[in-house]
C-alpha cells in the first residue's frame, strides 16, 4: 500500500510539473509572438523615418499618368530619342515603334542605338551616362572593354545622383594609388558608399552598416547607425528571401542579445534572428552563429522555466549542446566552458526522477547514448522520460 501511495505521489508530481511546463511554454510562446509584433512595428517605423529623410523620387508616366520611380533601373523604359521615359508596362503593352512623346523612330540597329546613346551623353543625360559606362565596362555593342573609361562615365552619372552608378563605383577596388584610374581612394569610395546607402541601394546599406558595426576603413564605430541601416534592409525583405539578409539577421540578433545599438535587450527577437540566419551561415560563420543561438536559447529557457530547464518536451540542452560543440570545434573556448558547466550540472541527478547518484546509492548515472545531454538512474526512468517528452528533445549528438 505504501509503495502504491508513493508511486501515485510521484505520478501526481510529474503531472503537475508537466502542466506547469506546458503553461510556461504557452506564456513564453505568447511572449515571443508579442515581441515579433513589436519588431515588425519597429521596422516599419524605421522605414517611415527613412522615407521622410530621403523621399523616393517619382514622376508620372506620360502615358498612364501613374507614378514611376525614376531612380531605379527596373520598371522604367528609357526613350533613346528624347531621353525621357515611360513605365515598363506601358512600353510593353503598346509595342511601340515610335516614341510616344517626340514621335521619333526607335533605333533598329546597333549603330543607331550607339548613336542615340552618344547623343544623350553629349547632352549630359544622367541615365545615358550610366548606360555608356556599363557598355564600355563590359564591352557591349562593339565597344572595347575599358574599365578606366567606364569609371569616368560612372563618376559623371554619380555626380548627377544616379544611384546605379554609385553602386558600381562601390564595386571598384579601393587603394591610395589612383594614377591608373581603375582604383578609388578610400575617401572617394567611402563618399560614394554613403551616397548610395542614402539613395537606398541595398548592397551599399549592408556594407556601410557592417562597417559602422565593426568600425573600420575610416568609418567610426556607430552601433545606432549600423542598426538603422540594417533595419532598412529588413524592411525591403520581410520574407528573408535575399541571401544577404542572413547577415542582417546575424548582426541585428547580436544587438538584441546584448541590448546595444539603441535596441532594448530581447532574447525572443535575438532567438528569432539567429534562427533565421543559422541555415545559411552554419558553415561560414566559424561557429559564431551557433554560439550566439546556444547562449540565447539557454538564457531564454532559464528565464521561462525558472532554471528547471530539463522538463521533458521542453528541454533545450540537447540542441544547445550540439550548437556549442560546433562552436567549440571552430575555436570558441567559451563554448567548451559552457558545455563543461552544463554536464557538471546534469550528470549528478536523474533527469526523470530528479534524484542524485548519492540518494540512489549507485556509482554513477547512465547517459542518453543518442543526445548525450541527460542522465538516468536506470532503464525505467529513461523510458518514462522518453514518453513524457524526451523523444521531442532528443537529437543525435555531434
Amino acid at each position: 500500500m505504501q509503495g502504491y501511495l508513493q508511486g501515485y505521489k510521484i505520478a501526481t508530481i510529474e503531472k503537475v510539473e508537466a502542466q506547469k511546463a506546458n503553461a510556461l511554454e504557452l506564456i513564453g510562446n505568447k511572449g515571443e509572438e508579442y515581441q515579433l509584433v513589436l519588431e515588425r512595428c519597429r521596422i516599419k517605423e524605421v522605414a517611415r523615418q527613412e522615407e521622410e529623410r530621403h523621399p523616393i523620387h517619382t514622376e508620372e508616366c506620360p502615358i498612364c499618368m501613374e507614378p514611376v520611380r525614376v531612380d531605379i533601373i527596373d520598371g522604367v523604359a528609357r526613350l533613346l530619342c528624347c531621353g525621357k521615359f515611360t513605365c515598363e508596362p506601358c512600353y510593353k503593352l503598346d509595342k511601340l515603334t515610335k516614341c510616344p512623346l517626340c514621335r521619333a523612330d526607335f533605333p533598329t540597329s546597333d549603330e543607331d542605338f550607339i548613336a542615340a546613346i552618344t547623343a544623350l551623353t553629349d547632352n549630359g543625360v544622367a541615365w545615358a551616362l550610366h548606360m555608356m559606362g556599363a557598355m564600355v565596362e563590359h564591352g557591349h555593342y562593339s565597344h572595347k572593354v575599358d574599365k578606366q573609361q567606364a569609371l569616368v562615365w560612372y563618376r559623371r552619372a554619380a555626380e548627377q545622383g544616379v544611384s546605379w552608378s554609385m553602386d558600381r563605383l562601390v564595386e571598384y577596388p579601393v587603394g591610395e594609388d589612383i594614377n591608373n584610374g581603375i582604383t578609388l581612394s578610400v575617401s572617394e569610395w567611402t563618399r560614394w558608399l554613403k551616397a548610395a546607402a542614402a539613395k537606398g541601394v541595398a548592397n551599399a546599406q549592408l556594407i556601410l552598416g557592417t562597417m559602422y558595426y565593426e568600425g573600420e576603413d575610416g568609418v567610426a564605430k556607430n552601433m545606432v547607425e549600423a542598426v538603422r541601416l540594417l533595419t532598412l534592409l529588413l524592411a525591403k525583405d520581410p520574407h528573408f528571401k535575399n541571401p544577404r539578409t542572413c547577415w542582417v539577421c546575424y548582426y541585428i540578433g547580436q544587438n538584441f542579445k546584448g541590448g546595444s545599438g539603441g535596441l532594448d535587450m530581447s532574447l525572443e527577437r535575438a532567438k528569432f534572428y539567429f534562427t533565421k540566419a543559422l541555415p545559411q551561415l552554419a558553415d561560414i560563420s566559424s561557429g559564431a552563429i551557433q554560439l550566439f543561438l546556444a547562449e540565447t536559447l539557454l538564457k531564454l529557457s532559464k528565464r521561462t522555466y525558472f532554471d528547471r530547464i530539463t522538463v521533458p518536451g521542453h528541454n533545450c540542452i540537447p540542441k544547445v549542446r550540439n550548437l556549442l560543440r560546433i562552436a567549440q570545434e571552430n575555436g570558441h573556448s567559451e563554448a567548451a566552458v559552457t558545455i563543461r558547466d552544463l554536464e557538471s550540472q546534469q550528470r549528478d541527478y536523474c533527469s526523470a526522477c530528479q534524484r542524485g547518484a548519492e540518494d540512489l546509492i549507485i556509482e554513477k548515472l547512465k547517459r542518453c547514448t543518442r543526445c548525450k545531454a541527460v542522465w538516468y538512474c536506470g532503464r525505467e526512468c529513461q523510458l518514462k522520460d522518453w514518453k513524457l517528452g524526451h523523444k521531442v528533445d532528443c537529437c543525435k549528438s555531434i
Side-chain angles (χ1 to χ4, degrees):
M1 186 66 179
Q2 186 177 359
Y4 173 78
L5 291 174
Q6 181 68 19
Y8 177 78
K9 183 179 179 181
I10 292 174
T12 303
I13 293 174
E14 289 174 349
K15 185 177 180 180
V16 171
E17 285 290 326
Q19 290 174 344
K20 187 188 295 183
N22 287 331
L24 290 173
E25 182 184 41
L26 180 61
I27 294 171
N29 289 341
K30 291 297 181 183
E32 289 188 23
E33 290 175 11
Y34 175 67
Q35 286 293 326
L36 294 181
V37 169
L38 292 179
E39 177 61 1
R40 286 193 288 271
C41 292
R42 185 190 71 84
I43 292 172
K44 288 181 180 179
E45 178 60 20
V46 172
R48 185 192 65 78
Q49 292 176 3
E50 181 66 11
E51 288 184 11
E52 288 183 354
R53 292 177 60 185
H54 303 288
I56 297 173
H57 181 43
T58 62
E59 293 183 22
E60 288 185 348
C61 169
I63 297 178
C64 66
M65 308 305 289
E66 290 292 326
V68 179
R69 285 192 63 177
V70 295
D71 60 337
I72 59 175
I73 296 178
D74 298 329
V76 181
R78 314 286 169 176
L79 304 176
L80 296 174
C81 45
C82 56
K84 297 182 180 180
F85 70 93
T86 69
C87 68
E88 201 167 70
C90 285
Y91 182 81
K92 290 182 177 179
L93 181 65
D94 293 336
K95 297 181 180 179
L96 302 174
T97 57
K98 292 180 178 290
C99 174
L101 303 181
C102 69
R103 308 308 298 169
D105 292 330
F106 285 147
T108 56
S109 66
D110 288 354
E111 291 76 10
D112 291 342
F113 179 84
I114 294 172
I117 287 288
T118 302
L120 292 175
T121 57
D122 290 343
N123 291 325
V125 177
W127 62 263
L129 295 172
H130 173 83
M131 287 188 66
M132 184 64 81
M135 288 191 295
V136 172
E137 180 183 11
H138 301 292
H140 294 163
Y141 293 98
S142 303
H143 283 89
K144 292 183 179 179
V145 175
D146 189 340
K147 293 187 179 296
Q148 180 176 350
Q149 186 58 40
L151 183 58
V152 174
W153 290 115
Y154 287 141
R155 277 176 172 148
R156 287 183 60 188
E159 291 290 354
Q160 293 192 46
V162 178
S163 60
W164 338 314
S165 292
M166 296 174 187
D167 191 27
R168 286 300 305 129
L169 289 170
V170 170
E171 297 295 327
Y172 268 76
V174 182
E176 292 299 333
D177 180 14
I178 60 172
N179 292 328
N180 57 14
I182 301 179
T183 62
L184 302 180
S185 67
V186 173
S187 59
E188 183 185 5
W189 182 82
T190 305
R191 172 195 168 201
W192 293 127
L193 178 68
K194 291 182 177 180
K199 287 279 188 179
V201 177
N203 181 53
Q205 289 177 331
L206 178 60
I207 295 172
L208 186 59
T210 54
M211 289 174 66
Y212 276 126
Y213 193 94
E214 303 290 346
E216 59 183 34
D217 295 331
V219 176
K221 189 171 184 177
N222 187 335
M223 297 294 281
V224 173
E225 185 63 13
V227 167
R228 187 187 71 82
L229 288 169
L230 296 174
T231 299
L232 292 174
L233 292 173
L234 291 175
K236 294 175 182 176
D237 187 21
H239 301 296
F240 307 95
K241 292 183 178 181
N242 196 300
R244 65 169 163 258
T245 308
C246 64
W247 286 108
V248 177
C249 293
Y250 174 77
Y251 288 113
I252 292 290
Q254 290 183 64
N255 285 107
F256 275 120
K257 178 174 178 284
S260 58
L263 301 177
D264 294 329
M265 188 177 75
S266 172
L267 295 175
E268 293 86 355
R269 297 191 223 185
K271 172 190 171 183
F272 174 79
Y273 283 120
F274 289 145
T275 303
K276 286 290 184 182
L278 181 62
Q280 290 178 294
L281 299 186
D283 298 325
I284 58 176
S285 68
S286 301
I289 186 65
Q290 288 89 348
L291 177 63
F292 294 146
L293 180 56
E295 292 174 343
T296 302
L297 289 174
L298 202 55
K299 289 180 181 179
L300 195 56
S301 183
K302 287 180 178 179
R303 195 188 70 186
T304 303
Y305 301 109
F306 305 101
D307 289 334
R308 175 73 167 89
I309 58 177
T310 58
V311 178
H314 312 274
N315 187 352
C316 71
I317 301 298
K319 182 177 181 179
V320 166
R321 184 182 179 278
N322 280 350
L323 291 170
L324 291 173
R325 282 293 182 199
I326 296 173
Q328 181 185 9
E329 291 171 1
N330 282 275
H332 294 276
S333 57
E334 59 267 50
V337 174
T338 305
I339 292 173
R340 190 162 55 248
D341 291 343
L342 285 174
E343 292 184 351
S344 66
Q345 295 166 12
Q346 305 298 318
R347 68 162 59 97
D348 293 332
Y349 67 90
C350 174
S351 183
C353 67
Q354 301 300 306
R355 289 182 291 175
E358 294 181 358
D359 298 330
L360 295 163
I361 319 177
I362 57 177
E363 184 177 347
K364 63 179 181 178
L365 302 176
K366 295 181 180 179
R367 199 177 201 176
C368 175
T369 56
R370 187 166 184 263
C371 68
K372 298 182 181 179
V374 294
W375 280 257
Y376 300 103
C377 60
R379 182 169 177 77
E380 183 180 347
C381 274
Q382 185 175 9
L383 288 174
K384 183 194 300 181
D385 201 51
W386 181 263
K387 293 178 181 179
L388 286 173
H390 184 61
K391 61 184 176 183
V392 176
D393 306 324
C394 191
C395 54
K396 188 174 182 180
S397 173
I398 295 176

